[in-house]
Amino acid sequence: MVNGLMWLLGCQLVGEVVVRLTDLPVPGPVVGMAVLLALLVLRRSGDDATVVRAADGLLRHLQLLFVPAGVGVVAYVAVIREDALPITVAMLGSWLAGLLAVGWTARLLTRDHPAEGAEGAAGTVEAGP
């Protein structure tokens, strides 16, 4: 399990370093996950049991990661109460924008393609008579 945690933390560290050096507008752990995915795909040895075991151990206690967010909400409940309307509008607006973006993306990706006509398959050139 310690070896798997070292892999996870090492990839997160690499992600943080890459983000800070390149000034990417992406969180370091996201880049670290991409690095971990690339390493696991490139290894292909099937010896990823240590990483899986460490990740499963962390996922079993995932609810503990929500404690700081809950404490922040309780600590700033007065500020949240004062600005409840703008917060609610922002949350509903971002939810609606995300819903529309996903809907439009899904519609574009699943759009029916025109049936193949007399010209043959799209992108092929037929020889004339």
Side-chain angles (χ1 to χ4, degrees):
M1 179 127 172
V2 174
N3 192 17
L5 285 173
M6 293 296 291
W7 273 95
L8 293 173
L9 290 175
C11 288
Q12 181 176 356
L13 176 67
V14 168
E16 290 285 348
V17 169
V18 167
V19 165
R20 297 208 184 219
L21 289 177
T22 60
D23 234 5
L24 288 173
V26 179
V30 173
V31 175
M33 284 193 319
V35 169
L36 178 65
L37 176 66
L39 287 174
L40 290 175
V41 168
L42 291 175
R43 279 182 30 183
R44 292 187 187 242
S45 65
D47 189 30
D48 57 355
T50 58
V51 175
V52 171
R53 198 171 30 235
D56 284 342
L58 289 173
L59 286 175
R60 262 187 255 126
H61 303 290
L62 185 65
Q63 69 274 12
L64 293 175
L65 299 176
F66 291 102
V67 171
V71 169
V73 168
V74 171
Y76 290 102
V77 74
V79 174
I80 293 171
R81 189 178 309 122
E82 288 175 7
D83 296 327
L85 183 62
I87 291 172
T88 303
V89 169
M91 287 177 62
L92 289 175
S94 64
W95 170 77
L96 183 61
L99 183 66
L100 291 173
V102 169
W104 286 331
T105 303
R107 188 170 183 191
L108 285 173
L109 292 175
T110 60
R111 185 182 331 177
D112 290 334
H113 297 289
E116 292 180 13
E119 296 87 30
T124 60
V125 178
E126 291 184 14

